[in-house]
Amino acid sequence: MDLYYLEDEELARQLVELGYRGSGEVLKREEFEARKQLAEASRLSKRSQKKTLASAGKNLEGYPFLEALAHREEANKTGKMTSIIFIRDKNAKGQEISGYIDFAHRLKTEDFEPYFTGKKRLLPKLSDLSFYNWETQKSTSNATPNYQVIADNASGLLFKNKRDRKIVNVDPKAARPGDNSSRVPIDSQGQYIQVVIYDHITRRKT
């Protein structure tokens, strides 16, 4: 298939996948253009689906935490940023819990629409980077595709980014959280006991 004629390698591959190669079929110009447009429409539709954000079109006024998440959603979905969210609040049983959430990982594994519409509250889970129940004293820590947990450290809990190998120090007493990282306390206006977001700008090692 003539790539110069198609002017798009991805389109060429799509037309090949649709069975327009090796069949000995000669396409008329009009038929070829129609098939090309069909493939292009399919490609644009897939790209549009990928770009759809759970926070898109939501009125988040009065919900500063959700506004902060919406502001970071696209960067975390595209891999430009990997934010760690610290939340301290009470669960459905009234028990105080806290934990660190890998926002980018949760976005990939969970539908965030209910959070941005207010139907669900974002809280730490046993499967997150770190979880602690202050009443039962149950604690867990788990690596994610983005972070390794370093728990046995004199500086306290650390998270090592798997992409650029930089350390994110979540100790509030630390002068700064690390290279390419920032600590942003969020005033949730009473919706949570405490929320802090650690933003890490990911840069691949060359």
Side-chain angles (χ1 to χ4, degrees):
M1 187 165 284
D2 192 344
L3 285 182
Y4 181 76
Y5 184 50
L6 276 170
E7 295 179 344
D8 191 314
E9 188 175 351
E10 189 177 341
L11 265 179
R13 285 182 182 148
Q14 211 161 355
L15 286 169
V16 166
E17 287 170 8
L18 292 171
Y20 304 139
R21 185 184 70 174
S23 63
E25 182 183 7
V26 178
L27 298 180
K28 290 180 181 178
R29 175 79 188 187
E30 294 81 10
E31 194 177 353
F32 178 85
E33 286 297 333
R35 293 186 182 184
K36 181 181 172 185
Q37 285 174 16
L38 183 67
E40 173 73 4
S42 172
R43 183 183 67 161
L44 290 174
S45 174
K46 286 178 182 176
R47 283 188 177 176
S48 176
Q49 287 171 10
K50 285 179 185 176
K51 288 181 180 178
T52 301
L53 301 176
S55 59
K58 307 294 187 298
N59 181 9
L60 304 176
E61 191 176 346
Y63 298 92
F65 176 45
L66 293 180
E67 285 182 336
L69 293 185
H71 179 67
R72 293 161 170 80
E73 184 184 4
E74 185 172 15
N76 274 269
K77 285 190 84 168
T78 58
K80 294 176 183 176
M81 177 188 287
T82 47
S83 300
I84 296 173
I85 306 165
F86 172 76
I87 292 177
R88 184 162 65 96
D89 204 36
K90 292 188 177 180
N91 62 15
K93 295 179 180 178
Q95 301 167 333
E96 187 171 317
I97 60 172
S98 62
Y100 292 90
I101 299 168
D102 178 346
F103 185 36
H105 180 54
R106 277 270 208 124
L107 280 171
K108 284 186 177 179
T109 58
E110 198 173 347
D111 178 15
F112 262 70
E113 191 94 12
Y115 295 119
F116 285 117
T117 55
K119 292 178 181 176
K120 285 175 70 175
R121 294 179 75 243
L122 183 64
L123 288 171
K125 295 179 177 181
L126 291 167
S127 56
D128 281 315
L129 280 170
S130 171
F131 173 90
Y132 185 68
N133 184 312
W134 292 82
E135 188 171 312
T136 64
Q137 297 188 351
K138 182 176 181 63
S139 66
T140 62
S141 63
N142 307 280
T144 68
N146 301 309
Y147 285 103
Q148 174 188 342
V149 182
I150 303 173
D152 54 346
N153 189 279
S155 303
L157 194 62
L158 303 174
F159 299 106
K160 184 177 182 179
N161 187 278
K162 291 182 177 180
R163 181 177 291 184
D164 60 15
R165 299 183 181 180
K166 299 289 186 182
I167 297 291
V168 179
N169 185 348
V170 294
D171 182 353
K173 295 177 183 176
R176 60 194 189 98
D179 293 342
N180 308 327
S181 296
S182 58
R183 182 182 188 274
V184 185
I186 304 294
D187 179 3
S188 67
Q189 298 185 354
Q191 290 153 16
Y192 289 86
I193 295 174
Q194 186 183 8
V195 176
V196 181
I197 300 178
Y198 296 85
D199 291 322
H200 182 69
I201 306 299
T202 48
R203 296 177 183 175
R204 277 194 176 91
K205 284 198 140 193
T206 53

